Amino acid sequence: MPGVGKTTVARSIFVRARENHPSSLVAWVPVRKDLQEEMILGQMLEYLDSHAAGMTDIDPILSHLKPMLENKKILLILDGLWNEEHARGLKEFICHLPRCFATARISVVITTSNKEVASLMMDAIPWHKYELQKLSDEDCWLIMEDNVLRSPNRTSIEDPQLLLIGKDIAKQCGGLPLVAAVFGKHLGAHIGVNEWSAIRDNKSWRASHRWEILSQLQKSYDHLPPHLKKCFSFCSIFPKNCKISRDELVQHWMANGFLSKSNDSKSDKEEDVGNNYFNDLVSNYLLEAMDMDECGNIKFCKMHDEVHNLALLSAKYETYIWPDAYPVEESVRHMRVQSDQNLQAVPEGIAQRLHSLFLDVNVSHMMPKKFRSLQSLKLAAADANDLESALGRLKYYMKYLDISGSAIERLPKSVTKLYNLQTLRFTDCNSLETLPSGIENLVGLRHIYFDDERHVPSSIGKLTSLQTLPLFVLELVPQSEAREARLEDKGELIKLQFVWSENRANSDKDMVVLEGLQPHSNLKSLTIKKYRGGNCPSWMMNLEQLVKLKLIDCDECGDISCLELLPKLEVLNTKAMPNVKRIGRMSYHQSSSMASSSPGGGQLIKPFPALRKLKLSNMKQLEEWTGAQGMVVFPCLQELHIQDCPELKTWWASSSEGGGEPILPFPDLKKLTLSNKTKLEIMLYTLWEDGSASPSLSILGIQSCPNLQAIPIGLSNLTSLDINNCPKLMGYAQEGSPEWSSICHTPSIRINGQIVRSKRSSFFKVPFGDSSGYEDSD
């Protein structure tokens, strides 16, 4: 992100290259919007021959450069590449350089704050990408200390109070060396404890010097297209240091009309457009990803404090946060009230033009009663009367309503007349008793969020536009009544959970009811808990778009073979299913017969063709996994977690039918964790005795495997090794042993809870004139 030190690192490379290779061409070119290849080559020529300065035509520039660069080393640094379209042109130029200067050895360094630019450049050129991370508080202090000591008459910082205050200030840097340098420079101008304490505690002092930081961050904002600037500025309505839900943010953008389909968009859905906008802001480091789901999608994001300041600055005339120092402008369209301190009534003329209103305190009675343009309303504190009057004239405008966390006891009838409402949220509303009749009138409702089974809307089947439904209560009913939910008609519904009550006297109809709750084949995420049917529902194998599946506490279910042929299943989590004894044998024979019986024969159907993450826990009777002869199993698996499977004896041994060579399991495995496997010796030894495990494995964890004698050899990509309670693997903890030599390249090693090796991020080093990339050093 801006301010993390990309230009500083590039400058260090530039200086070092000039010092160590004085006879070579080392050129620094700041990237501008109008930068063309003749301008870059002209600067290279000017460095070698000052008399050639000012040449603008590319042909004479090349005729001068070619003889001067024969057998030369060239280092070209392009600093600050932002725009993707610009990057495409520069990529063509860089690809053309080796043809222009055939005998030269060329290295190129590019800095960018745009991940898409980095990906674009790496498409056609063998680049090595290095993403600078934010610094620790201790490293921020070291930068501050260095800047303090650079000031006149300061040779040391000996006062322990100053050290303590300085390190407190370092915590306010948020990991950005740019911020640390600004703080350190101004601390160096002061020498006393009182002055440093004032700097630490005085927000206005920091604000007065913020322009130095914002001027750097502003570059990232300036390069955004107009539609992203509007979405980024809206983020200022959220408080600093808060977790922002990705879905909530996109839904606010959607309610305010910020989302428009581009010509190259693959989807007409506003949610997809919003997700693309969100990803663009993450790519530009203006939003930081936080929590991720099992599919790798970002669930929450945050903003660095200084980036939030930039958002406030960019939204100054459209977003107002109370209490704040500047007056309310007539141009304000979005408002958040965080406190009722000294709050005066908002002028009615401004209130009538508001598009978004967030109330963190119960001050709605102080607001004008007529909102004419309000499209997004978020109330953390409200009562029914306030809400009734606030919603009175908004039935054609309101698109987003959130009363989560409020003490409201009833939802007013006027909510059922918000005909254009897209999102309705009422989670954590413990006092809310029932919903009003008529919710089915909200035919445009796309997302509904609640966490109490009492709040399931009646006539839910009529809400045909729903894409989000957190839970659905339907128990001990005939199949015909279950079908009335019409889940198979809800093609926009992508995530669904079925949860049965834990203590039930009669569970013999579970399978019948679940059969009647067949969802649309577009479903992407499904969770089933406490289901007591003997088998998975027959419609499970029809979920061709399913990406994530959880089966939890399904005590009676013993056959899950239908899951293995789901074409897009990436994440599978099964827990507490004591009747499952084996995985694989039935479906592989079925898939083999399917392939052989198909017209013209064909290849075998691969089980779990897209599975990326698998977790098996508390599977008390699971004995074996077996595969058909010659079949590649789990071709895309990256993470494997096994816990509390005491009867597991065979781990993916191939079927002996037909003879032949054993199959190679998990060819693309990247992460493996084994836990509490007392009977694992056979399967592990079969898998690993010849060292044939996947060379792509990067994370390996083994726990409580007392009979395991070795881990795979040749794991060149292993980055983390964790061994616990495995007495026969203790040789891996002894430096100099044969076992140690097979893992000594691994940066992070922990054995029995003790850190044997831990490497911090390596210093970035470019081997000048060598295309092999960068090297790691401690």
Side-chain angles (χ1 to χ4, degrees), residues 647-753:
E647 299 299 321
L648 192 58
K649 300 174 183 177
T650 304
W651 184 18
W652 220 275
S654 62
S655 171
S656 60
E657 298 177 12
E661 296 296 324
I663 62 173
L664 176 62
F666 320 141
D668 296 310
L669 187 71
K670 297 199 183 292
K671 183 175 182 178
L672 172 65
T673 302
L674 305 176
S675 177
N676 300 326
K677 248 65 68 221
T678 58
K679 300 184 180 181
L680 220 56
E681 180 180 13
I682 296 177
M683 70 176 186
L684 289 177
Y685 211 75
T686 300
L687 176 67
W688 284 348
E689 63 178 343
D690 61 352
S692 61
S694 168
S696 300
L697 192 70
S698 61
I699 300 176
L700 175 60
I702 308 172
Q703 181 174 345
S704 300
C705 298
N707 294 314
L708 185 59
Q709 300 181 21
I711 63 175
I713 60 174
L715 298 178
S716 58
N717 291 319
L718 197 65
T719 61
S720 177
L721 175 64
D722 191 351
I723 300 174
N724 193 26
N725 193 23
C726 301
K728 295 184 179 180
L729 298 181
M730 288 303 97
Y732 291 92
Q734 302 172 9
E735 294 193 31
S737 67
E739 294 90 344
W740 174 261
S741 63
S742 68
I743 64 167
C744 61
H745 64 282
T746 306
S748 178
I749 302 174
R750 185 171 64 175
I751 298 181
N752 285 346

Side-chain angles (χ1 to χ4, degrees), residues 472 487 496-500 514 517 519 526-529 539:
F472 182 74
L487 295 184
L496 186 61
Q497 296 186 47
F498 293 118
V499 183
W500 274 259
L514 192 56
L517 294 173
L526 174 64
T527 298
I528 301 177
K529 292 184 179 180
W539 46 255

Side-chain angles (χ1 to χ4, degrees), residues 485-595:
R486 295 171 56 189
L487 295 184
E488 70 272 17
D489 294 338
K490 296 174 174 32
E492 299 298 323
L493 191 65
I494 61 173
K495 184 176 182 179
L496 186 61
Q497 296 186 47
F498 293 118
V499 183
W500 274 259
S501 300
E502 189 162 2
N503 299 317
R504 289 179 288 135
N506 186 358
S507 61
D508 57 352
K509 294 185 178 180
D510 282 16
M511 188 180 301
V512 175
V513 172
L514 192 56
E515 283 288 345
L517 294 173
Q518 177 176 353
H520 195 279
S521 59
N522 285 344
L523 195 71
K524 293 186 178 181
S525 177
L526 174 64
T527 298
I528 301 177
K529 292 184 179 180
K530 299 180 177 65
Y531 164 70
R532 295 185 185 174
N535 297 308
C536 293
S538 62
W539 46 255
M540 187 83 80
M541 64 180 62
N542 298 327
L543 301 180
E544 298 180 351
Q545 303 300 317
L546 194 67
V547 174
K548 177 183 176 182
L549 174 63
K550 287 186 178 181
L551 300 175
I552 310 295
D553 294 324
C554 300
D555 295 346
E556 305 299 325
C557 188
D559 182 8
I560 59 174
S561 57
C562 63
L563 311 181
E564 298 158 14
L565 302 181
L566 294 175
K568 294 188 177 181
L569 185 64
E570 295 184 9
V571 179
L572 174 60
N573 183 350
T574 64
K575 179 180 180 181
M577 299 181 67
N579 275 356
V580 176
K581 293 187 176 181
R582 56 180 56 87
I583 299 176
R585 182 179 299 275
M586 182 177 296
S587 66
Y588 300 137
H589 288 291
Q590 289 174 342
S591 62
S592 298
S593 63
M594 288 168 62

Side-chain angles (χ1 to χ4, degrees), residues 106 192 250 414-415 584 598:
I106 305 171
V250 170
S414 58
V415 170
S598 61

Side-chain angles (χ1 to χ4, degrees), residues 95-112:
C95 290
H96 187 60
L97 280 177
R99 293 190 289 272
C100 291
F101 311 108
T103 62
R105 298 171 60 190
I106 305 171
S107 297
V108 180
V109 174
I110 292 177
T111 70
T112 181

Side-chain angles (χ1 to χ4, degrees), residues 8-40:
T8 301
V9 171
R11 188 179 296 117
S12 174
I13 297 169
F14 176 79
V15 172
R16 185 183 304 174
R18 280 200 165 182
E19 291 175 349
N20 297 339
H21 303 270
S23 61
S24 301
L25 170 60
V26 183
W28 177 284
V29 181
V31 177
R32 307 196 315 254
K33 291 183 179 180
D34 60 344
L35 185 66
Q36 303 294 330
E37 57 183 280
E38 57 267 23
M39 300 169 71
I40 299 175

